[in-house]
Amino acid sequence: MATHEGGCTFAVEVRNVSKHFGALVALNGLSVAVTRGEALCLFGPSGCGKTTLLRIVAGLERPDGGAVFINGVEATSPTAFLAPAARNIGMVFQDLALWPHMRAARHLDFVLRAAPLTRAQRERRIAELLERVSLSDRRRAYPCELSGGQQQRLAIARALAHEPRVLLLDEPFANLDAPLRDDILDTVKGLKQERDVTVLFAAHHPEEVTSLADCVLEMAAGAYKVRRPT
């Protein structure tokens, strides 16, 4: 079991993880751990391995070496692999990956149908999620009818539908103007404080780091450094 001082389990621990795509070295012996309820920012230029690390933590990619622990459980190692659905992780992809043929509420209903809930329970959960991300009045809207910020919030609501303990965000503030970025930041900070959700998010703008991150993993050319934002 992965533990830090005092015996408390890390929400996410990455041990000596490496990943290659042909001759390209995406990750080179990376180790980092995140305490439960904290936000870790993966900070660095495009191509430094931020997305690859998130996908490995989520179980969508397998590393060439090293191990990943989720809440103390061995999720990925040379001898073990926990399926993505069993990791209790929610992920918001960089391109959001919303389903264009589904209305906002249907996005959430589709995810919740895998849970042991009655229809009435699903409806209550959908209403709660939409209210949490300020989309109650847009439940019947298709993605193309939502603003950029509303689409981001819908993607976050979908990632939170099954109440994950860890939320992964792949550059969630990219291509948003300052007011929309601040709005999404406030949404994520509120979720983190209210639900004790651990957040790992990729970013390359300094203002995103100082506003949300409890700690920062600086990534560049296969070198890694963890620091606390000032």
Side-chain angles (χ1 to χ4, degrees):
M1 178 175 288
T3 59
H4 63 68
E5 294 81 354
C8 296
T9 304
F10 285 122
V12 177
E13 185 178 13
V14 175
R15 297 183 185 176
N16 199 33
V17 162
S18 297
K19 180 66 178 179
H20 299 74
F21 296 99
L24 174 65
V25 180
L27 295 172
N28 182 28
L30 170 61
S31 295
V32 68
V34 191
T35 303
R36 189 172 296 149
E38 285 199 325
L40 172 69
C41 174
L42 314 181
F43 185 74
S46 297
C48 69
K50 299 188 298 293
T51 295
T52 299
L53 177 57
L54 291 176
R55 289 179 62 84
I56 287 173
V57 172
L60 302 176
E61 295 277 359
R62 293 201 185 201
D64 297 317
V68 175
F69 293 80
I70 308 295
N71 289 314
V73 176
E74 189 176 31
T76 297
S77 76
T79 58
F81 183 78
L82 191 64
R87 298 189 180 208
N88 199 16
I89 284 176
M91 184 166 183
V92 177
F93 298 90
Q94 188 171 358
D95 64 359
L96 302 184
L98 296 175
W99 300 307
H101 62 290
M102 289 188 186
R103 300 180 192 271
R106 176 63 176 144
H107 275 75
L108 307 183
D109 183 70
F110 183 83
V111 175
L112 290 170
R113 283 179 179 272
L117 301 174
T118 66
R119 181 174 179 178
Q121 289 171 328
R122 288 202 312 272
E123 284 299 323
R124 285 195 295 271
R125 178 74 176 141
I126 289 167
E128 173 192 323
L129 286 162
L130 291 174
E131 181 178 3
R132 186 181 297 171
V133 297
S134 302
L135 287 176
S136 295
D137 61 342
R138 304 296 286 153
R139 61 176 293 124
R140 293 188 56 78
Y142 290 101
C144 65
E145 298 171 330
L146 299 174
S147 69
Q150 289 171 335
Q151 290 179 8
Q152 293 276 14
R153 291 201 297 271
L154 176 58
I156 291 171
R158 182 180 62 180
L160 293 170
H162 62 285
E163 298 186 317
R165 296 301 303 274
V166 177
L167 179 62
L168 308 179
L169 306 171
D170 193 359
E171 299 205 13
F173 317 111
N175 304 316
L176 297 180
D177 58 27
L180 282 176
R181 184 180 64 241
D182 292 343
D183 186 29
I184 300 301
L185 278 166
D186 286 343
T187 298
V188 176
K189 283 190 287 187
L191 292 166
K192 177 175 168 290
Q193 293 166 0
E194 295 166 14
R195 312 289 288 193
D196 198 31
V197 174
T198 302
V199 180
L200 279 70
F201 70 102
H204 58 260
H205 294 298
E207 58 270 24
E208 298 166 10
V209 176
T210 57
S211 180
L212 179 60
D214 296 299
C215 50
V216 180
L217 172 63
E218 296 179 342
M219 307 173 66
Y224 312 109
K225 179 182 178 181
V226 177
R227 65 174 176 85
R228 293 275 171 174
T230 56

